Amino acid sequence: MPIHPFYLALLLAAAHGGAVAQVTKCTDASGRTTYQSTPCAAAQGAREQKMATPAQKSGSAPAPAAPAPPAEMDAFNDRMRVRMCEVHRISLKRLKESDTMLVPNGSGNGIVKADPARRASEIAQAEKRVADTCK
């Protein structure tokens, strides 16, 4: 099934995102139109038309986003660490309070109640996550 030129152009636009790229409209001898980022094939009767991308039409390429200042990144990282600490503490509390822990069974098509050794292992891992994150 042939790809409609609109969908091909849409696919090319999505693949290149916001990058500035040259789009070429190629028409072969039989009149079939394709859009591509490379020059048209040198087949007999092929016609090539260069097309402007939206950034080229507006006259300038989009400015790259400026990186956040280090102080802002440090503050953001601290907030995320505090939030992850809260999440791990809540998870640990629920593991310790619950007497039933469900885990995937060995065949992968259901769940079973965890045995005491598995439950103890999960609690130990949760305690390590709290210790590592909540420094």
Side-chain angles (χ1 to χ4, degrees), residues 35-94:
Y35 296 87
Q36 55 196 48
S37 60
T38 58
C40 298
Q44 186 177 12
R47 292 190 320 257
E48 183 174 296
Q49 175 186 354
K50 302 229 183 267
M51 304 177 69
T53 62
Q56 292 166 331
K57 286 180 183 176
S58 68
S60 65
E72 286 181 29
M73 288 303 298
D74 290 343
F76 174 78
N77 288 338
D78 287 342
R79 287 192 308 272
M80 293 306 298
R81 185 188 50 76
V82 168
R83 178 63 185 128
M84 290 309 300
C85 176
E86 293 171 10
V87 168
H88 291 316
R89 282 186 174 148
I90 290 168
S91 177
L92 177 60
K93 179 182 175 190
R94 289 186 179 156

Side-chain angles (χ1 to χ4, degrees), residues 11-26:
L11 179 65
L12 285 171
H16 290 291
V20 176
Q22 183 69 44
V23 177
T24 305
K25 177 181 177 182
C26 300

Side-chain angles (χ1 to χ4, degrees), residues 81 85 88 124-135:
R81 185 188 50 76
C85 176
H88 291 316
Q125 289 176 21
E127 288 171 337
K128 182 174 181 346
R129 283 191 295 272
V130 168
D132 291 345
T133 308
C134 304
K135 295 177 183 177

